[in-house]
C-alpha cells in the first residue's frame, strides 16, 4: 500500500522495516510464551504452586523458544487455511479464558496471594510475602491511580511511561494483520476495514475492562510482583494458563505469517534484487513457503537476544515507523486532493492523519531515541539504495499529485501584471527539428535559461483531418527520454501543423502556463552546413548493440530519424524561416539564432565547474554591424539584451573561467573613449565584469556623412552589393578580434593588441530586424550568413524587452 502511494523508494524501505518489526514481534511473543511456561513448569520456580519439571537457563530457554517456533513455522508453512483455523481455535480459547477471569473478579472473595521471593534472595530465610486481592474496593482503586514505577525485573532499569508503553504497545500491533493477509481475503476492501475496526474496538474494550477491574480489586504489590496474578484469583487457574499460551501462540503465528506475506510482496516487486529471490517461491496453492522459511530463520536469530523488554522497545519503534508511514500515505493523498481518493470511512480526516504521524514520531523518540534515530537512518539508507537501483514507474507517486497541487496553486498566484524588469529571466522556447543534430544547442540553451522556463518544441507536419489518430502523443515518451539523457531541465511541447511556421506560431502562443510562458525563441541557423549526428559521439547517448535500453525499452537512437542527408529537401524554406523570426518579433518575443554550436568546446557544455578548462573568450558585439554608420557608439534595448544573455552564460559554472569581452565600433565623428566610458559606467551599475574594447571600422565600412535608419540595408535602402560588402567587412572585423588579447585593462595579460591570445568560444552578435518586405527575406538571410560566416559558435540575438534596471 505504501509503495503504491509514496513510491517504491519509501514503500520498499518502510516495508522492509515493517517486515523486521513482524519478525521481532514473533520473537517477542515466543519469548513471552517461554517465560509464562517456565513461570509454572520451570525447575527454578520458587513459589509453592510451581511444577518443577523443565530445566532453565539461557540455552534451555533458547531451545524451548526454537521448538515453539518450529510449531508456529509448520502451521504457517502449511498455508493460510490452517492458520485461519488455528487462529479461530485460539480465539475461542482466549475468549473462554477471558470470560473466566471476568467472572472471577466478581465471584471470588478477598484473599491473600503468596508472592515468589525476589531474585537473589534466600527463600528459606526470608518470611513469605503476600499480595492482596481485596475485591471491589474504592481505597484500592485510589491507591492504584498514581504511577509508582518500579524496576524492570529483566534489566534492572527503572521503568517509565515510555518503557511501559513500549511493552504494552506490542499487544496492539495486530491492527495490520488483516492488511498483511489481503492476498488471502475474498473481499479485502470490505474485510480489512471492517475487521480492523471491530478488532480494535473489541481489544480496546477488553483492555480497558481488565485495567479497571484489576486496579479496583488488586493492590499495587500484587500487580507489580506477580505477573501471573490472574491465576491466583481465577475460579479455575489452568484456564488462565490456556488463555495465556493461546494468546502468545496466536500473536506469534500472526506475526510470522504477516512477515512472510510482506517479504513475499517485497520479493515480487523485485525491489531488493537477488537478496530476496528465495522469498518468491510459492506452493501449488499459492502459499509463499519460501518467505515463511526465510522469516523463520530470521526469527530464530532474534531469539538469541533473549531479553523480552529490550526487544519489545525495538519492535515498538519499528511498528511506529510503519504506522506513521500509513498515516503519511493517507495524509499525502488527502493533501494532494486526488479525485480517486475516496475513503469509505466516514470519520476520516487529514487532522487525524496528521495527529497519527506526530504521535507515532513522538512516541518513537520517547521510547528509545537511539532506536528511533537508527530506524530513521536505516529507512533513509534503504530509500537511497532503492532510489539508486530505480523502481517501477507505473505504480504512481503521490509526490507527483502533491507537486501538481502545489504548482497549480502557485501558478495561480504568479501574476503577470506584477512582473518587473528587476526580476526578469529568460524563458526559452527552443524549436528542434531533429535532436540528433541539436544536442550542443540543446545543452547551451539549458545554460542560458538561468532558472527560467525552458521548453523543447517540435512541429510534426500533417493534418489531423486526414489522419486516423494524433501522431504527436506517442512521441512524448521519446522526447522526455531525450531530456533525461541530455540532463537538461526542460519541458516538452509538441504540435501538429501543416507547416513549420504555423506550428511555431502555435507553440509561441500556447506553450507555458500562466506567468510561465516563453519570452525568447531559439532557433538553429539556416545554412547549408551538413547536419551532424551527435548521438554517435555523445557518451550520454551510447546505446547497447542490440538497440534496447535497460528494462527492454527501445534505444533512443531508434526513436528519432537519422539526420537529413546533404542536399535533401527541407521541412522549412528560407522564406518561412525568416517569416518565423518576424512572427516572433511581432509577438514581442526575443529571438536567438544559434550557428555552429557543434563546435563549442565540450567542457563548456558540461554540468561541472570549468576551473581546469582551457581559457576562452566570450565576445559580445552589442551594436548592429549592418547599420551603415556603425551605430551611436552606445547600446540600445537590443544591445542590453545581448549583454544580459552573455552575463547569464558567464554565471554558469562551466563558463566561469571564460572572459567576457564587449566590442564597441567607433562612429565616423565620435572621439575614442567616449562611448567606452559610458559603457563602463553602465557595466559598473549593472555589476557586469567584462573587458571593453573600441574598434575602428575597416576599409569599405566607412559611410561618411550618411545617416540612415536601422534596417536600411536589410530593407533595401542601398544596393545589394553595398550591403554584401558591409556584411563582409563586419565579418572580417569580428574575425580579426577573435583570438586576440586585450589592449590593456583588467583581464588582458595575454598580450598587447594584435597578439594571439585565448580563442573565442562563443560570439554574441546583434540580430537586425527582418525587412518589412517579405520578398527580401532570402536576401536578409544571405546577409546574416555572410555576417556570421566562419566565426565559430555564434548567437545572433535580437531583444525587444528591457531586461536591466538601475532603479531601486
Amino acid at each position: 500500500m505504501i509503495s503504491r502511494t509514496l513510491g517504491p523508494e519509501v514503500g520498499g524501505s518502510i516495508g522492509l522495516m515493517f517486515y523486521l518489526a513482524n519478525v521481532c514481534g514473533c520473537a517477542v511473543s515466543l519469548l513471552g510464551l517461554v517465560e509464562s511456561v517456565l513461570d509454572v513448569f520451570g525447575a527454578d520456580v520458587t513459589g509453592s504452586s510451581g511444577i518443577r519439571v523443565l530445566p532453565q537457563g539461557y540455552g534451555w530457554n533458547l531451545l524451548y523458544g526454537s521448538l515453539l517456533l518450529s510449531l508456529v513455522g509448520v502451521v504457517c508453512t502449511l498455508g493460510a487455511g490452517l492458520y485461519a483455523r488455528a487462529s479461530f481455535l485460539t480465539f475461542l480459547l482466549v475468549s473462554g479464558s477471558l470470560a473466566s477471569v471476568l467472572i472471577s473478579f466478581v465471584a471470588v472473595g478477598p484473599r491473600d496471594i503468596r508472592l515468589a521471593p525476589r531474585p537473589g534472595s534466600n527463600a528459606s530465610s526470608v518470611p513469605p510475602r503476600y499480595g492482596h486481592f481485596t475485591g471491589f474496593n474504592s481505597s484500592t482503586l485510589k491507591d492504584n491511580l498514581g504511577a509508582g514505577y518500579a524496576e524492570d525485573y529483566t534489566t534492572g532499569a527503572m521503568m517509565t511511561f515510555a518503557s511501559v508503553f513500549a511493552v504494552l504497545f506490542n499487544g496492539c500491533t495486530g491492527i495490520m494483520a488483516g492488511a498483511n493477509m489481503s492476498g488471502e481475503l475474498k473481499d479485502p476492501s470490505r474485510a480489512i476495514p471492517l475487521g480492523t475496526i471491530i478488532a480494535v474496538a473489541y481489544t480496546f474494550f477488553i483492555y480497558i475492562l481488565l485495567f479497571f477491574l484489576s486496579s479496583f480489586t488488586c493492590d499495587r504489590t500484587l500487580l507489580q510482583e506477580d505477573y501471573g496474578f490472574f491465576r491466583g484469583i481465577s475460579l479455575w487457574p489452568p484456564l488462565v494458563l490456556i488463555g495465556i499460551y493461546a494468546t502468545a501462540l496466536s500473536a506469534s503465528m500472526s506475526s510470522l505469517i504477516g512477515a512472510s506475506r510482506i517479504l513475499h510482496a517485497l520479493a515480487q516487486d523485485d525491489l531488493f534484487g537477488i537478496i530476496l529471490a528465495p522469498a518468491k517461491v510459492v506452493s501449488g496453492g499459492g502459499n509463499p513457503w519460501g518467505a515463511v522459511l526465510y522469516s523463520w530463520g530470521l526469527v530464530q536469530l532474534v531469539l538469541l537476544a533473549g531479553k523480552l523488554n529490550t526487544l519489545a522497545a525495538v519492535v515498538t519503534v519499528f511498528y511506529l515507523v510503519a504506522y506513521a508511514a500509513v498515516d503519511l500515505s493517507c495524509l499525502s493523498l488527502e493533501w494532494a486532493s486526488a479525485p480517486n481518493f475516496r475513503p469509505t470511512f466516514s470519520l476520516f480526516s487529514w487532522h487525524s492523519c496528521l495527529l497519527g504521524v506526530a504521535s507515532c514520531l513522538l512516541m518513537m523518540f520517547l521510547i528509545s531515541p537511539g532506536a528511533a534515530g537508527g530506524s530513521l537512518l536505516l529507512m533513509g539508507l534503504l530509500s537511497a539504495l532503492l532510489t539508486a537501483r530505480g523502481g517501477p514507474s507505473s505504480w504512481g507517486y503521490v509526490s507527483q499529485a502533491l507537486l501538481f497541487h502545489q504548482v497549480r496553486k502557485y501558478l495561480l498566484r504568479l501574476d503577470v501584471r506584477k512582473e518587473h524588469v528587476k526580476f526578469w529571466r529568460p524563458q526559452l522556447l527552443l524549436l528542434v527539428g531533429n535532436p540528433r543534430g541539436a544536442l550542443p544547442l540543446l545543452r547551451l540553451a539549458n545554460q542560458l535559461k538561468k532558472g527560467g522556463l525552458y521548453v523543447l518544441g517540435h512541429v510534426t507536419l500533417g493534418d489531423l483531418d486526414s489522419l486516423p489518430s494524433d501522431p504527436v502523443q506517442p512521441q512524448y515518451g521519446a522526447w522526455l527520454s531525450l531530456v533525461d539523457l541530455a540532463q537538461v531541465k526542460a519541458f516538452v511541447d509538441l504540435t501538429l501543423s501543416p507547416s513549420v511556421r504555423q506550428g511555431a506560431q502555435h507553440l509561441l502562443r500556447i506553450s507555458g502556463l500562466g506567468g510561465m510562458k516563453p519570452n525568447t525563441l531559439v532557433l538553429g541557423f539556416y545554412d547549408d552546413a551538413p547536419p551532424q549526428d551527435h548521438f554517435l559521439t555523445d557518451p550520454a547517448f551510447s546505446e547497447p548493440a542490440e538497440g534496447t535500453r535497460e528494462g527492454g525499452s527501445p534505444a533512443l537512437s531508434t526513436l528519432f530519424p537519422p539526420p537529413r542527408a546533404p542536399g535533401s529537401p527541407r521541412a522549412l524554406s528560407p522564406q518561412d524561416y525568416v517569416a518565423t523570426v518576424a512572427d516572433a518579433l511581432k509577438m514581442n518575443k526575443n529571438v536567438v539564432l544559434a550557428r555552429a554550436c557543434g563546435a563549442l568546446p565540450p567542457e563548456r557544455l558540461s554540468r561541472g565547474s570549468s576551473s581546469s578548462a582551457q581559457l576562452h573568450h566570450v565576445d559580445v558585439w552589442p551594436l548592429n554591424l549592418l547599420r551603415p554608420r556603425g551605430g551611436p557608439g552606445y547600446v540600445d534595448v537590443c544591445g542590453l539584451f545581448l549583454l544580459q544573455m552573455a552575463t547569464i552564460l558567464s554565471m554558469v559554472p562551466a563558463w566561469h573561467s571564460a572572459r567576457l569581452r564587449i566590442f564597441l565600433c567607433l562612429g565616423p565623428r565620435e572621439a575614442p573613449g567616449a562611448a567606452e566610458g559610458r559603457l563602463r559606467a553602465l557595466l559598473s551599475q549593472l555589476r557586469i565584469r567584462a573587458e571593453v574594447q573600441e574598434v575602428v571600422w575597416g576599409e569599405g565600412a566607412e559611410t561618411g556623412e550618411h545617416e540612415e535608419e536601422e534596417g536600411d540595408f536589410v530593407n533595401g535602402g542601398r544596393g545589394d552589393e553595398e550591403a554584401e560588402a558591409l556584411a563582409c567587412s563586419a565579418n572580417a572585423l569580428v574575425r580579426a578580434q577573435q583570438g586576440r588579447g586585450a589592449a590593456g585593462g583588467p583581464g588582458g595579460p595575454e598580450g598587447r593588441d594584435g597578439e594571439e591570445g585565448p580563442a573565442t568560444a562563443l560570439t554574441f552578435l546583434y540580430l537586425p530586424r527582418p525587412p518589412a518586405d517579405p520578398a527580401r527575406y532570402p536576401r536578409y538571410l544571405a546577409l546574416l550568413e555572410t555576417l556570421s560566416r566562419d566565426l565559430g559558435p555564434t548567437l545572433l540575438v535580437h531583444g525587444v524587452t528591457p531586461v536591466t534596471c538601475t532603479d531601486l
Side-chain angles (χ1 to χ4, degrees):
M1 289 189 298
I2 299 171
S3 291
R4 271 56 172 182
T5 304
L6 300 183
E9 295 84 4
V10 178
S13 59
I14 294 178
L16 186 60
M17 296 183 65
F18 190 43
Y19 166 74
L20 295 176
N22 277 275
V23 167
C24 294
C26 179
V28 167
S29 299
L30 291 173
L31 289 174
L33 178 56
V34 170
E35 182 180 292
S36 61
V37 169
L38 294 179
D39 192 38
V40 178
F41 300 100
D44 298 337
V45 173
T46 55
S48 58
S49 59
I51 304 174
R52 303 177 181 87
V53 295
L54 296 178
Q56 292 181 247
Y58 173 78
W60 288 105
N61 293 1
L62 180 61
L63 175 61
Y64 302 147
S66 301
L67 292 175
L68 292 171
L69 175 60
S70 300
L71 174 62
V72 172
V74 167
V75 173
C76 294
T77 303
L78 293 178
L82 180 59
Y83 162 75
R85 288 189 288 271
S87 296
F88 184 70
L89 176 61
T90 56
F91 172 74
L92 293 179
L93 293 175
V94 171
S95 298
S97 178
L98 278 174
S100 71
V101 169
L102 296 176
I103 293 173
S104 298
F105 275 113
V106 179
V108 174
R111 63 175 63 177
D112 296 335
I113 301 174
R114 186 170 180 176
L115 304 175
R118 290 191 174 93
S121 62
N122 188 348
S124 60
S125 61
V126 176
R129 298 180 306 115
Y130 294 91
H132 305 286
F133 177 77
T134 63
F136 290 94
N137 190 308
S138 59
S139 298
T140 303
L141 177 62
K142 184 177 180 181
D143 293 338
N144 286 329
L145 289 180
Y149 296 115
E151 289 185 355
D152 179 9
Y153 74 104
T154 60
T155 62
M158 180 61 68
M159 300 298 284
T160 62
F161 170 78
S163 58
V164 173
F165 177 89
V167 176
L168 179 63
F169 189 79
N170 283 277
C172 307
T173 54
I175 186 174
M176 297 291 287
N180 294 344
M181 294 196 58
S182 58
E184 273 79 20
L185 298 175
K186 291 182 179 180
D187 186 8
S189 62
R190 179 180 181 275
I192 291 177
L194 181 62
T196 300
I197 293 173
I198 293 176
V200 169
Y202 177 78
T203 305
F204 178 80
F205 173 75
I206 293 298
Y207 277 157
I208 289 295
L209 185 59
L210 288 176
F211 293 161
F212 174 76
L213 295 177
S214 298
S215 59
F216 219 121
T217 58
C218 303
D219 68 355
R220 184 177 295 273
T221 303
L222 178 63
L223 294 176
Q224 284 186 335
E225 301 200 20
D226 187 356
Y227 299 132
F229 70 92
F230 281 162
R231 286 186 290 122
I233 65 172
S234 177
L235 293 173
W236 189 46
L239 191 56
V240 175
L241 288 178
I242 294 174
I244 293 173
Y245 298 161
T247 301
L249 277 174
S250 176
S252 59
M253 284 191 298
S254 174
S255 297
L256 184 60
I257 200 166
S260 66
R261 268 51 181 180
I262 297 169
L263 184 66
H264 180 64
L266 288 169
Q268 288 291 98
D269 287 340
D270 200 26
L271 295 179
F272 293 92
I274 196 172
I275 299 176
L276 300 183
K280 294 182 180 180
V281 181
V282 296
S283 64
N287 182 44
W289 61 269
V292 174
L293 294 180
Y294 208 111
S295 305
W296 177 89
L298 286 180
V299 174
Q300 185 65 59
L301 291 177
V302 177
L303 286 176
L304 296 173
K307 297 275 187 170
L308 178 61
N309 286 357
T310 302
L311 276 178
V314 176
V315 173
T316 297
V317 167
F318 279 2
Y319 273 119
L320 286 172
V321 171
Y323 295 162
V326 174
D327 285 330
L328 183 61
S329 299
C330 293
L331 181 64
S332 301
L333 288 169
E334 177 68 12
W335 278 355
S337 300
N340 286 327
F341 180 59
R342 298 184 289 268
T344 56
F345 185 52
S346 58
L347 299 181
F348 172 81
S349 168
W350 69 265
H351 303 85
S352 60
C353 293
L354 184 61
L355 180 62
V357 173
S359 301
C360 290
L361 294 177
L362 175 64
M363 289 311 304
M364 281 170 54
F365 284 94
L366 286 179
I367 291 169
S368 175
S375 64
L376 294 178
L377 177 62
L378 176 61
M379 184 179 71
L381 293 175
L382 291 173
S383 297
L385 172 65
L386 292 174
T387 301
R389 290 192 75 244
S393 59
S394 60
W395 292 352
Y397 294 79
V398 73
S399 59
Q400 296 297 307
L402 286 170
L403 285 173
F404 177 89
H405 183 72
Q406 294 301 311
V407 167
R408 181 194 63 84
K409 180 173 70 174
Y410 288 114
L411 272 176
L412 289 172
R413 297 175 61 181
L414 189 60
D415 192 343
V416 294
R417 295 168 296 182
K418 298 180 181 179
E419 288 181 351
H420 194 278
V421 65
K422 288 188 294 186
F423 308 110
W424 181 91
R425 66 182 71 220
Q427 305 199 83
L428 308 181
L429 170 61
L430 172 60
L431 288 184
V432 179
N434 190 336
R436 286 177 175 272
L439 273 181
L441 175 56
L442 192 141
R443 291 195 172 105
L444 179 63
N446 185 64
Q447 295 173 330
L448 286 170
K449 72 180 187 303
K450 186 53 182 175
L453 178 68
Y454 180 23
V455 179
L456 287 182
H458 174 73
V459 179
T460 299
L461 296 181
D463 187 355
L464 194 59
D465 290 339
S466 60
L467 297 172
S469 62
D470 185 6
V472 169
Q473 296 303 320
Q475 299 179 23
Y476 272 96
W479 284 88
L480 292 173
S481 298
L482 170 73
V483 168
D484 293 337
L485 286 177
Q487 295 183 317
V488 296
K489 298 177 180 178
F491 297 94
V492 173
D493 216 345
L494 312 178
T495 189
L496 181 70
S497 178
S499 70
V500 175
R501 180 185 177 185
Q502 291 183 21
Q505 292 177 0
H506 297 167
L507 293 174
L508 282 170
R509 293 185 186 279
I510 66 175
S511 291
L513 192 64
M516 294 187 66
K517 297 184 74 68
N519 56 28
T520 304
L521 173 66
V522 183
L523 295 170
F525 194 78
Y526 196 100
D527 57 16
D528 295 327
Q532 297 177 322
D533 190 350
H534 294 284
F535 278 17
L536 302 178
T537 57
D538 196 299
F541 288 82
S542 58
E543 305 284 1
E546 62 273 15
T548 58
R549 289 177 288 165
E550 184 178 356
S553 56
L556 197 61
S557 59
T558 64
L559 301 178
F560 294 103
R564 174 183 54 84
S568 60
R570 299 190 180 189
L572 185 65
S573 67
Q575 186 82 14
D576 281 349
Y577 178 82
V578 179
T580 301
V581 174
D583 293 341
L585 295 176
K586 291 176 183 178
M587 296 180 188
N588 204 37
K589 307 291 185 183
N590 310 296
V591 176
V592 177
L593 305 183
R595 184 173 190 182
C597 288
L600 281 167
E603 65 271 17
R604 297 298 178 188
L605 297 177
S606 64
R607 294 169 59 87
S609 175
S610 63
S611 56
S612 60
Q614 179 185 353
L615 189 62
H616 290 107
H617 283 151
V618 174
D619 292 349
V620 182
W621 297 79
L623 299 179
N624 187 355
L625 296 180
L626 296 183
R627 197 168 180 178
R629 58 189 176 87
Y634 201 52
V635 289
D636 56 5
V637 170
C638 181
L640 289 175
F641 185 83
L642 262 77
L643 290 177
Q644 183 80 329
M645 296 299 286
T647 304
I648 288 173
L649 187 64
S650 68
M651 298 168 68
V652 177
W655 291 86
H656 277 171
S657 63
R659 295 183 175 177
L660 197 62
R661 298 193 302 178
I662 303 174
F663 294 93
L664 289 178
C665 300
L666 287 179
R669 295 182 301 276
E670 190 167 12
E676 179 181 350
R678 293 197 298 271
L679 181 58
R680 287 189 183 277
L682 177 62
L683 295 179
S684 177
Q685 284 184 306
L686 300 177
R687 294 174 176 82
I688 297 176
R689 300 183 61 182
E691 304 171 14
V692 179
Q693 297 187 34
E694 288 185 335
V695 294
V696 181
W697 281 93
E699 184 180 356
E702 194 64 58
T703 61
E705 300 298 324
H706 293 287
E707 295 288 338
E708 305 201 33
E709 295 298 322
E710 177 185 353
D712 277 351
F713 270 104
V714 297
N715 280 300
R718 288 180 176 264
D720 290 345
E721 294 80 6
E722 190 174 354
E724 180 72 19
L726 180 63
C728 289
S729 178
N731 174 265
L733 178 67
V734 175
R735 282 192 290 114
Q737 300 301 321
Q738 291 183 343
R740 290 190 175 186
E750 293 81 11
R752 294 178 300 276
D753 191 21
E755 293 186 357
E756 293 297 326
T760 298
L762 185 63
T763 301
F764 285 81
L765 294 182
Y766 189 115
L767 175 67
R769 275 185 173 272
D773 183 6
R776 298 197 58 80
Y777 283 176
R779 184 58 189 162
Y780 169 80
L781 187 58
L783 287 177
L784 296 183
E785 196 282 330
T786 302
L787 176 64
S788 58
R789 183 184 301 159
D790 299 327
L791 296 184
T794 304
L795 297 181
L796 293 98
V797 182
H798 191 97
V800 296
T801 55
V803 294
T804 58
C805 177
T806 58
D807 298 331
L808 292 178

